[in-house]
Each structure stands twice: as C-alpha cells, then as structure tokens.
Amino acid sequence: MTPLARLILAQIDADGPMTLADYMALSLMHPKHGYYATRDPFGAAGDFTTAPEISQMFGELLGLSLAQAWLDQGAPAPFALAELGPGRGTLMADILRATRGVPGFHAAMQLHLVETSPTLRQVQAKTLKGHAPQWHSATEDLPDLPLFLVANEFFDALPIRQAQRSGDSWRERMVTRDGDRLIPALSAPTPLPMLAQRLDDTAEGDIVEFSPAATRIAAHVGTQIATRGGAALIVDYGDWRALGDTFQALRAHATADPFADPGGADLTAHVDFEALALAAAPARHTRLTAQGVFLERLGIAQRAQKLADALTGGAQQAHLAAHRRLTHPSEMGTLFKVMGLYPEGAAPPPGLLG
Ligand code: SAH
C-alpha cells in the first residue's frame, strides 16, 4: 500500500467516508504524495498531452485573442496577464512570443501564474526565464488589476462532488474502505441546497457533479473582470450543464480505476460550463464554442499553412497531424470547448460570440 493510500484509510477511520472532492484534493495536491506535487505528467512519456504541448499554434492564437481584447478595451495599463494551472509553461511561452509585436502589451503587462505544485513551478520558471512571473497558490491572491486570463485543462483538475437523485434529496457518492481497498459508496439521502435547481432537470437515479472549488474560482475571476475590466478564455472538455458520472483516472494515456492508486494517476471530471458562467456573473459569458471552431475563426488554417511551408518531411507531417488533432471533430475539436468572460459593454474576445 502506498503512503497516501494509508493516509486516506486512516482519515476515513477517524472521520468516516470522505467526499470525492476531499479524495481528489488529497490524490492530486497532497504536498508530499499528490499526483501533481510529485511529477511532470505531460507528454508522450507521461499520462496525458494537452493542446499547448501538441502545437505552438494553440498558444499563439489564444494570445492574439487576448491581446485584441486588451486593445478593444483601450489598452489598460498596468494589467495582469494570468494563467491558472500553467503546467509546463508552454502555453504562456507561446502567448508571450505571439504578443511581442503588439505595441505596448508587454510594457503594460504583469505576469501572474496560479499554481500549487512546487515541481511544476520549477518547470514553469525554466520555460519562462526572462519574464519574471509571480506565482500564487490561490486565484484570490491575483493583483487588483484589469485581468486577462487563460485556463486550459485547469478546471477539469479541480475536486468535484457527485450526487445521485433520490426523491427530492440526493445520495452523495463518498469514498470509504472495504478492508484495505478504497471503494465508492452512497450516503443516506440528504437535501443539498446547492443542487436545488437540478431538481428540475433530473430524474430518479441521475448523477449530478458539482465543484465548489471551480465555482469559487469562477466567481472571483468574474468579479474582477466585471469591476476592473479584462477577459478570460477557459478551455476544457465538458459541456453546458453536467449530467452523469464523468469522474475518471488517466494513466499512461489510458483510463484507470480512480480508486486503485491515489496519487499515482491523474483524476479529472468534465467541466460544467453553465456552473462557471453562473458563478462568474456579473461578468458576461460568451457562447460555449467547440475548440476547433474557435481556432478556425482565429485563422489556424492560415497559420498552419505558413508554418508548413517552412517545414519538410517528417517535421511537416507531424505539424499537419498536430493541426488536425487540435481542430478535427473526431480528435480534440469538439470534445474541447471554449468559453470567454468579458465585462458588460465590451466586445467578446475574438473567436467567440456574445
Ligand atoms: N494548462 C496546462 C496544464 C494543465 S494540467 C496545459 O494546458 O498544458 C493542470 C494544471 O493545474 C497543473 O499545472 C496543476 O498543477 C495545476 N493545478 C491543479 N489544481 C490546481 C489548484 N487547485 N490550484 C492551482 N493549480 C492547480
């Protein structure tokens, strides 16, 4: 048994079954044994690959969308350019390179990264050498400035809770022990006030997921953008209004039992974009848009052609495959969605519709 599994069993013995959210938080972010705290999980050798690791075009186009939103709002100075969960720092490096030529953007910018993993902070420091980012552990610690923010595959890593409809109450899916194994088990029915509106669109036995951490972070970002100006681009897999069990573990690019090895596999859930949009009010939210459509509107085809012209052979083939992977409906193009946040009276960030 791993030290983290032992620690979770001891906590269950002391306090009783724990919520999925507590289980996810310990598995991913425990300072010593958590998944993100102990490794760099990206790339072919890791457990998963993300859009910025697939092609530089992803970050370039997101950067240009944010920079245009900044220009549209009168080029406020100073402003915070921020990223939630920057991984290896690749997305931010591509954003910074693509926006170098935007007059005044870098001069007015303060770079802020929200990251809890010490291991990944070190990787980010290397990738972003020369840009002097400031790190924060919580979104609430971002400076009180106009906020231009990206979050790619961040919200899916935040702890979720799951509840199963039972009459007008809910049975919560908890984590408990069966001998030395961790297993899911349903609680007794309890009313959950935060799910009141879901009594309208669910039937007996339906599973609903909700993330108190995601709601808190979206509320903070939304308030900041509504009061100080700015824009957010939130990219993730998920949909408008969560329904059903999407909790999963990923290991070596395949799904795994999420209760088998806490800390040893990535745990994620699909993002409920409606919950983020509601929490982010009074900031306005754009329509939820497929990643492929968003990137095409921003001109990925032309950018891909330009890069392809400079390449030959295997490198050119790999580049064309990466373009397809980001945009094609059978790859990441429709599973991944983009939602923008922006202030009342401003234009939505380019690539998205209000
Ligand atoms: N955006 C990157 C990485 C996505 S993985 C990319 O697209 O490649 C998720 C990232 O969020 C990791 O950097 C992880 O350490 C960070 N993270 C997860 N939960 C977090 C939390 N609660 N607060 C801050 N960062 C978190």
Side-chain angles (χ1 to χ4, degrees):
M1 202 187 308
T2 63
L4 187 57
R6 207 170 297 128
L7 197 142
I8 291 173
L9 287 171
Q11 191 164 323
I12 290 171
D13 288 341
D15 303 334
M18 66 172 70
T19 62
L20 275 190
D22 289 342
Y23 176 72
M24 265 182 99
L26 284 168
S27 300
L28 294 178
M29 288 299 167
H30 184 279
K32 193 144 163 244
H33 308 298
Y35 179 77
Y36 282 110
T38 52
R39 76 199 75 206
D40 171 355
F42 304 97
D47 290 311
F48 58 89
T49 310
T50 57
E53 303 297 334
I54 292 170
S55 168
Q56 67 185 74
M57 296 187 290
F58 182 79
E60 291 170 353
L61 294 170
L62 263 69
L64 292 174
S65 175
L66 273 191
Q68 186 61 51
W70 176 77
L71 289 169
D72 289 345
Q73 291 180 34
F79 74 95
L81 179 65
E83 180 170 1
L84 307 181
R88 281 183 174 162
T90 310
L91 171 55
M92 187 50 81
D94 293 337
I95 290 175
L96 292 170
R97 197 183 55 257
T99 54
R100 239 178 357 207
V102 179
F105 191 74
H106 281 215
M109 164 188 96
Q110 289 181 12
L111 189 54
H112 293 270
L113 307 176
V114 178
E115 174 61 67
T116 39
S117 156
T119 310
L120 288 175
R121 279 188 187 198
Q122 278 179 21
V123 181
Q124 292 154 19
K126 239 191 224 156
T127 312
L128 298 169
K129 217 163 65 198
H131 290 287
Q134 294 177 51
W135 280 272
H136 309 279
S137 300
T139 314
E140 286 80 357
D141 299 334
L142 288 170
D144 187 17
L145 291 173
L147 176 63
F148 291 82
L149 175 142
V150 287
N152 182 60
E153 289 210 44
F154 169 74
F155 282 97
D156 69 75
L158 296 180
I160 54 142
R161 293 169 63 182
Q162 276 187 342
Q164 187 173 54
R165 177 85 184 265
S166 168
D168 282 348
S169 289
W170 302 89
R171 290 157 70 95
E172 182 158 0
R173 197 152 173 243
M174 310 290 284
V175 182
T176 188
R177 75 181 298 169
D178 174 21
D180 276 349
R181 283 190 324 133
L182 291 166
I183 54 160
L186 291 175
S187 74
T190 35
L192 288 173
M194 61 283 241
L195 293 182
Q197 83 282 8
R198 300 305 305 264
L199 291 174
D200 299 335
D201 74 314
T202 51
E204 186 72 15
D206 278 351
I207 289 179
V208 165
E209 295 176 338
F210 58 107
S211 172
T215 308
R216 198 198 76 228
I217 291 170
H220 182 80
V221 170
T223 303
Q224 190 67 16
I225 288 174
T227 54
R228 303 298 311 263
L233 296 174
I234 300 170
V235 189
D236 228 307
Y237 41 88
D239 251 310
W240 195 256
R241 190 168 293 197
L243 188 62
D245 174 13
T246 72
F247 181 53
Q248 64 165 5
L250 264 183
R251 165 178 240 162
H253 299 266
T255 53
D257 173 2
F259 302 105
D261 180 16
D266 184 34
L267 299 178
T268 73
H270 284 205
V271 170
D272 182 347
F273 282 94
E274 182 189 41
L276 300 185
L278 290 172
R284 298 190 57 123
H285 62 88
T286 68
R287 285 188 219 167
L288 189 60
T289 304
Q291 172 174 298
V293 172
F294 171 71
L295 294 174
E296 271 154 21
R297 285 189 189 141
L298 293 174
I300 195 170
Q302 293 87 323
R303 180 70 184 132
Q305 189 58 51
K306 183 138 186 279
L307 289 171
D309 289 346
L311 297 168
T312 52
Q316 192 182 56
Q317 289 310 313
H319 163 67
L320 293 174
H323 175 205
R324 184 187 149 87
R325 198 155 164 211
L326 289 182
T327 54
H328 198 273
S330 69
E331 307 230 16
M332 297 172 81
T334 23
L335 173 64
F336 281 76
K337 312 279 197 307
V338 189
M339 184 174 78
L341 302 175
Y342 59 106
E344 182 75 45
L352 299 169
L353 305 174

